Amino acid sequence: MSALTITDLSIDFPTTKGVVHAVSDLSLSVGRGRRVGFIGESGSGKTTTALAVMQMLAEPGRVAKGSIVLGDTDMLALNEEEMRKARLRRVSYIPQGAMNSLNPIMRIEDQLWDGITAHEGTTDRAELKRRSDEALESVGLPARVGRLYPHELSGGMKQRVCIALGVILTPDLIIADEPTSALDVVTQRHVMQTLKDVQAKIGAGLILIGHDMGLMAQSVDELAVLKDGVLVEHGETRQIIENPQHPYTRELISSVPLVGGESFLDDEIGAPPVNRGKPGVPLLEFKGVSKTYGNVTALQPMSFKLDGEVPKIISIVGQSGSGKSTMGSLMLGFNPPSTGQVLFEGQEIASMNAAKSLEFRKQVQAVFQDPYACFNPFYRVNHALRFPFKQFGYAKSEAHIQEKMEEACTAVGLDPALVLGRYPHQLSGGQRQRLIVARALMLSPKLLIADEPVSMVDASLRATILKNIYDLKDRYGISILYITHDLATAYHVSDYVIVLYQGHVAEAGPPEEVIGNPKHEYTQLLIDSIPWPDLDRSWGTPSTATEDAERLDRLARENKTEFRGRVPGFDLDVA
Amino acid sequence: MRTIPTSYLLNRLLTLFLTVFIAATLIWIIPRLSPVDPAEIMLGRMAAGAGAVADSEAILAQLRANFGLDDPLFIQYLKYLCNTVTFNFGLSTATFPTPVSALIANALPWTLGLMILSLIVTFIIGNLLGALMVWEESPKLVKVAIPAAMVFTSIPPILSGLLLMWIFAANLRWFPLTGAYGLTVEPGWTWEFAISVLHHGFLPALSIVIVTFGFWALGMRGLMITVQGEDYVTLAKAKGLKPRYILYKYMIRNAILPQITAFALKVGLLIAGQVLVERIFAYNGMGKLLYDAILDQDFPVIQGVSFVIILMTALSVFIVDLIYPFIDPRIRHEAST
């Protein structure tokens, strides 16, 4: 018997501009104990379908036709109170972005208890405490976590709490909406294994929503591929991965960058790279730089020289909290180092005068993670492009600005007619992120700091945006520091890779060595944690998490560095 | 339960002290920038009362000496600071020789009573209404409250006061027109007196409530809309919690936090905002005292009242600083740096 049967489901969003068909004629069933992955890019209707099961469609969405049957209950026939009772008890929801899914002013255990109380009426503290401890333990969290507040937990722990909540009333169906999208690879693997483990224990059906084919391949039994609200392909995971029928499925599979696989960058050998460095003076230099916040060491002392004569892409990889973003903010001069000096073209950033500082800002540009937060929503996107260009004195005339904006848009693969003159909310995440790259490009900087530039855009777009960034190197002679947790893309774009662990360089060298053939255990762990769209490659077992934790502990104490060779124009030294 | 670290407490106390000190200095300086000589005003008042004053120069000098106006400014300032610490604001020039502190002591309980009553009522009504404007389950009727709240907020309190007086006191005769209590009742701890006070306080309080609830309601509405979009509210719904429980524990509980800070700041502002209300209702509170003092250029009283306003604002901010970590676990009592 199946846990969930969806038949001919259509969901409409009536808007002033006409009805949007978010989901059309979708039929699918999820068996008990089965894991089904809904995969597709944003706007494909995967989350909308899941929310329809919960009857939690955002306004003005409504089910136009079809049926949703959970066990033997017709979900669409339930009234509001009956539906409320079915939530959590019969179908639970594990939300995306665990960062903000818990009420900040309630203790964890209170947020587990109120769920139980709302459905069973139990208010006996001892009983509630026993059950919340049990639920926390089932997801690998100690019982004392219950007494904490959400802000005291890491992202991975918060997501585990959400999983504990999702299984606490042993529902028939669990819907997990990109439960690991905000987590780094190591944590992602642990959380996914926990989810699979508890789901198997209670024998519930699982709908896993996502856009990463690799993660899907390693996590689900069946795959449902959605595009523009239509189910384009559905079947056993192995069959779909190995023999995809629909071109869109093939595209999703090929968009996953592989270490050692074929490069997504078509490296045409064209004009030799533009040389824009000052001979003899390194473009960027760290001299014994370290950073501490209070008692916490974010970055241990390190020195490097990037000469910039031949533009390079240096990747800095690591988990969250490894110190990679700290490095980025030190380079941008947002933060002074605790010890040592950060120099740009021989000048210490911290002691620059106003004129030098302005020149530095011109020459060093940044692309950040969140393409939504980078634009002021009140202005058209032109403003973000035009303003720095004018402010730094590049603009000769309005026509010149316009010409440059169009040129920059074209360089990142956007049609200027389509994007210029629009407001940020009218553009997709991918378009916005490319505009951010275009903005940086207009100023023709010598150095670009790209901090997780593609981690918030759909997998299918990542390759294109990275290609845009990669092209800047040779075509415009821009040296790039690429900060990421994604080793597979770092492998393809970089000339040199630095793996950071707890503020310490674990391994460094050319990507073919460091990522292609890692020597340091930490790099190996990062690579093992990547979910591959390859079913014959093991992604670990539930016990992996404990082993990994022990490994990480030991590595933190060892503090050793593997140097794996050099590239001309970049010198790294670790004190 | 958390405790408040001593270093944090000392830090906050120092801030409190500095705020009050700087403000006290400012209210001493500002009236002295005015070209008016209070001694001359008193003399003028005496002259107006008696028809003419002989030997006016000698009287002026005498008055200046009495008020310490002939000391060098620095000495005047030091004396002022010493006196302020003991709540001795000198003697009123308008109702000479009543001490300012006695005037304030008489007026303060009336104002505090009226103010606290109306502020609390407004805070509750306004925030609840603001929350209901956003809540999905609330009756459609609540939506009407948005334009109403906006209209009322834009009315000056003096007009709402006059309107209420005209309807409920002059025409319907449900409430007395003016005063803080009936002329026939003896002030004291009796039921009769208490009822008279409530009866007299109702209209002034109401006139304050109807013009200020919109401030809270619209502010709360904005905060609630933000909270409504938060993931934790979506998850609360997915947990199948009861809508009312979500409203209180997940939405209002989070949205109210910035409003509490606003509440603390409003405490001081309210005395100032109440000036005209007290004036038209002839309510013997701080507002009326301040109003009369300004008319009479009664500097000691103006200074005294201003000081009390500052002290109350600073104290309420101080209290909110101390309790905030208890109502929002994300905020900590940061030890001083």
Side-chain angles (χ1 to χ4, degrees):
Chain A
M1 189 184 145
S2 56
L4 176 77
T5 310
I6 299 175
T7 322
D8 289 334
L9 181 72
S10 290
I11 298 168
D12 288 350
F13 281 77
T15 66
T16 46
K17 288 179 193 150
V19 178
V20 178
H21 303 286
V23 176
S24 317
D25 296 311
L26 185 134
S27 297
L28 183 114
S29 72
V30 180
R32 278 190 197 285
R34 291 285 283 179
R35 298 191 282 265
V36 178
F38 281 24
I39 187 166
E41 54 201 280
S42 22
S44 62
K46 53 196 196 310
T47 300
T48 308
T49 309
L51 288 178
V53 176
M54 307 285 297
Q55 279 199 39
M56 279 176 54
L57 284 176
E59 284 293 323
R62 59 185 170 82
V63 174
K65 71 178 176 71
S67 72
I68 300 172
V69 178
L70 185 74
D72 47 14
T73 318
D74 180 357
M75 299 302 272
L76 298 176
L78 297 182
N79 67 26
E80 228 169 275
E81 177 62 11
E82 288 164 341
M83 189 62 226
R84 178 186 77 71
K85 285 184 179 154
R87 291 181 191 136
L88 195 67
R89 198 165 55 84
R90 302 209 43 209
V91 48
S92 68
Y93 181 71
I94 297 168
Q96 184 176 17
M99 290 303 151
N100 202 16
S101 292
L102 296 166
N103 187 346
I105 49 93
M106 277 170 88
R107 289 181 200 278
I108 300 299
E109 59 188 10
D110 285 320
Q111 303 193 46
L112 294 166
W113 297 348
D114 66 8
I116 304 175
T117 308
H119 293 280
E120 299 178 359
T122 326
T123 50
D124 174 26
R125 268 187 81 96
E127 161 76 1
L128 289 172
K129 177 83 184 144
R130 187 187 61 74
R131 287 178 64 181
S132 66
D133 287 355
E134 199 179 276
L136 289 173
E137 200 187 311
S138 75
V139 294
L141 290 174
R144 63 169 184 84
V145 167
R147 298 292 300 157
L148 300 178
Y149 287 98
H151 70 275
E152 295 168 301
L153 308 186
S154 70
M157 288 164 93
K158 281 188 226 182
Q159 196 61 64
R160 275 164 207 267
V161 169
C162 289
I163 295 174
L165 180 65
V167 297
I168 201 163
L169 296 181
T170 57
D172 306 327
L173 178 70
I174 302 168
I175 298 172
D177 189 353
E178 306 206 20
T180 58
S181 63
L183 308 174
D184 60 65
V185 278
V186 177
T187 320
Q188 164 171 282
R189 178 160 72 147
H190 297 164
V191 167
M192 270 320 296
Q193 271 153 355
T194 306
L195 177 59
K196 282 159 70 177
D197 184 42
V198 290
Q199 171 262 343
K201 257 183 214 152
I202 66 169
L206 172 73
I207 294 178
L208 179 68
I209 298 170
H211 57 82
D212 178 349
M213 201 42 117
L215 178 64
M216 284 293 171
Q218 294 293 349
S219 312
V220 297
D221 309 316
E222 286 170 41
L223 263 176
V225 184
L226 281 95
K227 184 174 180 11
D228 301 328
V230 178
L231 183 65
V232 295
E233 195 164 358
H234 177 209
E236 295 285 320
T237 306
R238 179 174 290 274
Q239 173 211 325
I240 290 194
I241 299 277
E242 285 171 4
N243 187 17
Q245 298 299 314
H246 196 277
Y248 180 66
T249 315
R250 286 199 284 271
E251 197 187 308
L252 282 176
I253 295 172
S254 64
S255 71
V256 180
L258 300 177
V259 171
E262 207 176 294
S263 173
F264 55 89
L265 312 158
D266 36 8
D267 242 335
E268 63 227 49
I269 312 284
V274 187
N275 181 349
R276 299 178 56 214
K278 276 189 189 173
V281 186
L283 182 66
L284 184 72
E285 185 176 2
F286 267 37
K287 271 191 191 165
V289 170
S290 75
K291 182 72 189 174
T292 52
Y293 296 102
N295 306 324
V296 185
T297 305
L299 192 66
Q300 298 187 28
M302 70 182 314
S303 303
F304 70 75
K305 266 188 207 154
L306 169 65
D307 76 7
E309 274 187 57
V310 180
K312 291 262 174 309
I313 298 185
I314 312 295
S315 291
I316 302 162
V317 299
Q319 284 172 274
S320 16
S322 62
K324 56 192 196 309
S325 288
T326 300
M327 267 184 85
S329 75
L330 287 168
M331 292 171 197
L332 285 164
F334 290 165
N335 250 331
S338 301
T339 64
Q341 293 173 303
V342 181
L343 299 117
F344 179 77
E345 295 195 324
Q347 290 277 334
E348 193 185 356
I349 296 174
S351 60
M352 281 181 179
N353 61 26
K356 289 259 172 53
S357 185
L358 190 72
E359 184 58 28
F360 167 71
R361 287 275 164 249
K362 255 191 208 174
Q363 298 300 347
V364 183
Q365 288 297 312
V367 175
F368 295 113
Q369 182 172 13
D370 188 344
Y372 298 89
C374 276
F375 286 96
N376 185 334
F378 292 108
Y379 291 110
R380 291 173 203 277
V381 292
N382 302 32
H383 182 82
L385 270 67
R386 175 200 302 269
F387 186 73
F389 191 66
K390 259 171 103 167
Q391 203 68 9
F392 284 130
Y394 287 111
K396 296 197 190 94
S397 64
E398 277 302 309
H400 179 230
I401 298 177
Q402 189 64 29
E403 183 199 317
K404 278 288 175 188
M405 286 200 299
E406 285 174 10
E407 192 186 307
C409 285
T410 317
V412 296
L414 290 172
D415 180 356
L418 276 180
V419 293
L420 293 179
R422 309 190 82 178
Y423 285 98
H425 69 265
Q426 296 171 314
L427 302 175
S428 72
Q431 284 174 319
R432 283 184 240 197
Q433 196 63 307
R434 279 196 243 184
L435 272 176
I436 294 286
V437 178
R439 188 199 65 88
L441 176 60
M442 276 177 76
L443 303 173
S444 58
K446 289 181 179 164
L447 184 66
L448 182 76
I449 316 280
D451 191 349
E452 301 272 11
V454 293
S455 64
M456 283 180 74
V457 294
D458 277 348
S460 53
L461 287 171
R462 286 184 187 168
T464 351
I465 294 176
L466 277 174
K467 193 177 171 320
N468 290 152
I469 294 178
Y470 182 78
D471 286 346
L472 301 181
K473 182 181 78 162
D474 290 349
R475 206 171 334 145
Y476 299 91
I478 301 173
S479 291
I480 296 165
L481 279 141
Y482 175 48
I483 299 171
T484 185
H485 67 260
D486 181 355
L487 280 86
T489 56
Y491 176 82
H492 290 290
V493 300
S494 16
D495 297 296
Y496 193 85
V497 177
I498 300 172
V499 180
L500 279 184
Y501 175 57
Q502 295 202 343
H504 180 76
V505 177
E507 191 161 2
E512 309 79 51
E513 297 293 327
V514 174
I515 300 174
N517 178 26
K519 285 264 155 45
H520 195 282
E521 259 189 277
Y522 180 66
T523 322
Q524 280 161 6
L525 173 65
L526 286 179
I527 291 172
D528 290 346
S529 300
I530 301 173
W532 304 87
D534 173 0
L535 295 171
D536 298 322
R537 196 182 158 126
S538 162
W539 200 42
T541 54
S543 63
T544 315
T546 0
E547 289 161 24
D548 288 351
E550 283 162 13
R551 238 163 122 192
L552 287 171
D553 257 9
R554 182 165 46 76
L555 291 174
R557 284 194 304 274
E558 277 178 10
N559 229 5
K560 67 169 186 188
T561 307
E562 293 270 1
F563 287 102
R564 302 295 306 283
R566 303 192 44 229
V567 290
F570 189 80
D571 287 310
L572 176 76
D573 188 26
V574 176
Chain B
M1 207 61 190
R2 304 154 181 238
T3 51
I4 301 170
T6 322
S7 64
Y8 178 80
L9 192 67
L10 287 177
N11 183 308
R12 289 290 98 189
L13 273 171
L14 187 68
T15 313
L16 173 73
F17 173 76
L18 280 177
T19 313
V20 174
F21 170 71
I22 292 168
T25 305
L26 283 178
I27 57 175
W28 179 83
I29 292 172
I30 291 166
R32 274 159 186 76
L33 299 176
S34 143
V36 177
D37 180 350
E40 277 178 15
I41 294 177
M42 283 194 77
L43 188 71
R45 198 173 285 126
M46 285 162 77
V53 179
D55 202 6
S56 59
E57 282 306 309
I59 294 180
L60 267 183
Q62 181 62 37
L63 281 172
R64 289 203 181 104
N66 280 356
F67 287 108
L69 294 171
D70 52 357
D71 287 336
L73 278 180
F74 184 66
I75 302 294
Q76 287 188 38
Y77 176 62
L78 283 186
K79 278 186 180 168
Y80 161 77
L81 284 186
C82 289
N83 289 337
T84 306
V85 173
T86 54
F87 292 100
N88 173 8
F89 302 106
L91 305 178
S92 160
T93 54
T95 51
F96 189 74
T98 326
V100 173
S101 49
L103 288 174
I104 291 178
N106 274 331
L108 195 59
W110 293 108
T111 290
L112 282 185
L114 184 64
M115 185 180 83
I116 287 174
L117 189 77
S118 54
L119 192 60
I120 291 175
V121 170
T122 327
F123 187 78
I124 294 171
I125 295 181
N127 282 306
L128 205 59
L129 202 66
L132 289 178
M133 283 179 196
V134 176
W135 194 41
E136 287 165 6
E137 314 266 332
S138 46
K140 290 277 173 283
L141 195 68
V142 180
K143 307 274 177 207
V144 183
I146 299 174
M150 286 200 203
V151 168
F152 285 127
T153 316
S154 45
I155 301 177
I158 183 165
L159 282 187
S160 71
L162 286 174
L163 186 74
L164 289 174
M165 273 171 101
W166 182 70
I167 299 175
F168 295 105
N171 286 337
L172 295 172
R173 294 184 180 277
W174 289 356
F175 294 100
L177 263 176
T178 57
Y181 54 91
L183 294 172
T184 54
V185 283
E186 195 62 25
W189 293 108
T190 61
W191 279 115
E192 197 191 7
F193 179 68
I195 288 166
S196 177
V197 166
L198 284 178
H199 197 205
H200 280 76
F202 190 83
L203 279 190
L206 186 64
S207 75
I208 292 171
V209 170
I210 61 171
V211 297
T212 48
F213 83 90
F215 169 85
W216 299 111
L218 296 179
M220 187 63 172
R221 180 170 168 264
L223 292 164
M224 283 288 286
I225 289 174
T226 312
V227 169
Q228 192 183 32
E230 297 283 359
D231 294 341
Y232 55 79
V233 173
T234 312
L235 184 63
K237 204 176 164 196
K239 276 159 84 176
L241 301 180
K242 293 185 175 142
R244 220 168 258 256
Y245 181 84
I246 299 179
L247 175 69
Y248 293 124
K249 282 283 241 185
Y250 283 72
M251 297 175 76
I252 293 183
R253 183 64 178 73
N254 278 292
I256 200 91
L257 295 171
Q259 295 287 79
I260 289 172
T261 311
F263 183 87
L265 294 173
K266 276 272 162 179
V267 167
L269 284 179
L270 228 99
I271 295 187
Q274 237 170 256
V275 168
L276 290 175
V277 173
E278 288 191 5
R279 165 77 197 137
I280 57 169
F281 284 100
Y283 200 86
N284 287 319
M286 296 283 281
K288 187 162 173 297
L289 186 65
L290 183 60
Y291 178 88
D292 292 340
I294 292 169
L295 282 187
D296 294 335
Q297 311 228 3
D298 192 346
F299 288 160
V301 175
I302 297 177
Q303 271 174 7
V305 174
S306 308
F307 184 75
V308 170
I309 294 177
I310 289 158
L311 195 62
M312 281 175 53
T313 313
L315 269 177
S316 57
V317 171
F318 172 72
I319 291 169
V320 166
D321 271 350
L322 291 192
I323 65 168
Y324 219 95
F326 296 99
I327 53 177
D328 186 347
R330 283 165 297 182
I331 310 286
R332 278 197 207 166
H333 292 120
E334 294 283 339
S336 59
T337 45

